Every structure is written in structure tokens, then in C-alpha cells.
């Protein structure tokens, strides 16, 4: 039986996926969970540890021909100590660490890592993530025109050396139901390493 905390977490993850899909509707977003057997396959045996975000989102800007890949973490506790925004524009805490770790793996998968040392698991991770994204995209919930576009994008993106521009960053959704101020958004740089950009959304009951 799920605890109240687990129920809030599941609801938060659902609302985050809905919000992401709504916010980036013009970029035909596709979202998958990292809390599945398939996801655990490509997350396992990483040199970046076992920390992971909750979701991976992909969206494509047809005008600029850029694929955006977002590591999405969701927190539902009020005044969450896992989130540590600092005055210098840096974001620390466990939530940011989870995002950074996921981004590091995504950079390897999409050939954007500064560390070019060979990892025997990268190819396997790429194939499993591709399977997840393709499976989600070709469900009946996505329009045929969207599926046709994503088929072309995936073929370019999931090569050993992608032939499409890819931008990877993080999104942290903090649902704080004790507040009533809508959606407050602020960009940060991760306080640790490897460095990455994370957009913090503080969402209240009104959002």
C-alpha cells in the first residue's frame, strides 16, 4: 500500500509531465519515466552513481532544428531541504544532484560528453532510451504527423554521432501547495560537477 508521501510523489510526477507537455506543446514534447524496468537498464552501472531524475522530456524546435532533451526532477514536499537555491545563482541539494547525474549520462548517450573515455554501456543505454522514447511516441495519444516528425528526429539523434543539434538541460518542478503564487520560474547553474543548467519551477496550488 502506497504511503501518503508516495501518493504525493506519483501525483507530482503526473502533474509535472502534464505541465511539461502543455508548456512546450508547440514543440511536440515526448515524456518518459525513469522509474521503469527499461530505464533502470540504461541507468545501471553508471560511473556517475545511481542518482537519477524522475522523467526525461524531449521536444523539437522545427524552426531552429534543435532537439531539446530535459532531465526532469519532481519534488512535492513543502520547504523541501533537497532544494538549495543560493544567492550566487547556483543550485545545490540532492534534487539538483539527481538532475546533474542524469544529464551526465545523457551527454554520453548523445556524444556531448567532455570525457571521451570509452564506456561499454553507452551504446546499450542509447538503444534502451531510444526504445523508451519510440514506444512512448508511437502510442495512440500522439498524432500521426507528430509521429512522422519524431521518427526523422530519432534517426538523427540516436546515432553514435548525432546529425542534429542537441541541447541538454534540467528542469526541477517543486510543487509547494502551502503557497498560492502560481508558477515562479528561475534559471540556475548547478553548484557541483558536472556543471549544467537547471530551471527551477516553484508551483503552488494556483499553478
Amino acid at each position: 500500500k502506497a504511503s501518503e508521501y508516495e501518493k504525493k510523489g506519483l501525483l507530482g510526477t503526473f502533474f509535472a509531465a502534464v505541465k511539461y507537455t502543455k508548456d512546450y506543446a508547440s514543440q511536440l514534447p515526448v515524456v518518459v519515466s525513469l522509474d521503469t524496468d527499461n530505464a533502470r537498464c540504461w541507468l545501471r552501472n553508471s560511473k556517475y552513481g545511481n542518482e537519477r531524475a524522475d522523467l526525461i522530456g524531449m521536444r523539437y524546435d522545427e524552426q531552429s532544428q534543435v532537439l531539446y532533451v530535459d532531465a526532469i526532477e519532481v519534488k512535492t514536499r513543502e520547504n523541501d531541504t533537497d532544494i538549495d537555491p543560493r544567492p550566487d545563482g547556483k543550485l545545490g541539494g540532492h534534487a539538483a544532484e539527481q538532475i546533474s547525474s542524469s544529464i551526465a549520462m545523457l551527454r554520453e548517450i548523445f556524444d556531448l560528453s567532455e570525457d571521451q573515455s570509452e564506456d561499454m554501456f553507452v551504446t546499450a543505454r542509447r538503444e534502451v532510451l531510444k526504445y523508451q522514447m519510440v514506444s512512448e511516441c508511437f502510442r495512440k495519444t500522439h498524432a500521426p504527423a507528430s509521429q512522422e516528425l519524431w521518427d526523422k528526429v530519432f534517426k538523427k539523434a540516436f546515432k553514435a554521432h548525432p546529425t542534429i543539434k542537441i541541447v541538454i538541460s534540467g528542469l526541477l518542478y517543486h510543487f509547494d501547495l502551502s503557497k498560492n503564487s502560481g508558477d515562479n520560474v528561475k534559471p540556475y547553474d548547478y553548484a557541483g560537477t558536472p556543471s549544467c543548467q537547471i530551471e527551477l519551477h516553484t508551483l503552488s496550488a494556483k499553478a
Side-chain angles (χ1 to χ4, degrees):
K1 189 178 179 180
S3 67
E4 282 301 310
Y5 172 68
E6 288 172 326
K7 287 177 184 175
K8 280 181 74 175
L10 287 169
L11 271 175
T13 302
F14 170 76
F15 286 132
V18 169
K19 178 168 175 54
Y20 182 84
T21 302
K22 184 178 176 183
D23 287 352
Y24 297 108
S26 65
Q27 297 176 352
L28 306 175
V30 179
V31 186
V32 297
S33 172
L34 293 187
D35 191 22
T36 65
D37 290 339
N38 282 332
R40 291 186 194 100
C41 281
W42 69 265
L43 291 165
R44 198 175 294 133
N45 297 315
S46 168
K47 60 188 175 187
Y48 300 105
N50 295 318
E51 299 293 348
R52 59 166 177 76
D54 290 309
L55 303 164
I56 295 293
M58 289 191 184
R59 48 195 172 90
Y60 181 64
D61 188 322
E62 280 193 88
Q63 191 170 358
S64 61
Q65 297 188 334
V66 175
L67 171 63
Y68 293 92
V69 182
D70 300 301
I72 305 168
E73 177 62 17
V74 184
K75 295 297 178 187
T76 53
R77 284 180 291 192
E78 298 166 9
N79 304 314
D80 202 310
T81 55
D82 283 348
I83 302 170
D84 180 22
R86 301 174 185 176
D88 61 357
K90 302 281 188 181
L91 185 67
H94 186 232
E97 184 183 345
Q98 290 172 287
I99 290 171
S100 174
S101 177
S102 299
I103 286 176
M105 279 186 280
L106 289 166
R107 284 174 178 164
E108 281 190 331
I109 286 170
F110 292 110
D111 196 33
L112 294 171
S113 176
E114 291 178 8
D115 180 6
Q116 293 296 318
S117 60
E118 195 64 35
D119 183 334
M120 62 183 287
F121 294 104
V122 170
T123 301
R125 288 193 187 108
R126 185 183 300 119
E127 288 305 312
V128 176
L129 178 59
K130 179 183 178 181
Y131 174 78
Q132 267 197 289
M133 300 307 298
V134 170
S135 298
E136 172 58 34
C137 183
F138 284 87
R139 289 170 58 207
K140 290 180 181 177
T141 50
H142 295 271
S146 167
Q147 293 171 344
E148 190 177 332
L149 173 71
W150 274 114
D151 182 52
K152 293 174 183 174
V153 172
F154 289 152
K155 283 176 180 173
K156 293 177 181 178
F158 284 102
K159 294 181 175 183
H161 304 291
T163 54
I164 188 173
K165 184 177 180 181
I166 299 172
V167 175
I168 302 173
S169 55
L171 284 172
L172 175 51
Y173 291 119
H174 181 207
F175 291 91
D176 188 347
L177 301 181
S178 67
K179 295 179 180 177
N180 196 31
S181 55
D183 181 3
N184 182 38
V185 185
K186 192 170 180 182
Y188 288 92
D189 291 317
Y190 176 48
T193 55
S195 62
C196 62
Q197 292 184 313
I198 301 173
E199 196 172 79
L200 173 61
H201 290 246
T202 305
L203 301 117
S204 69
K206 190 186 283 187

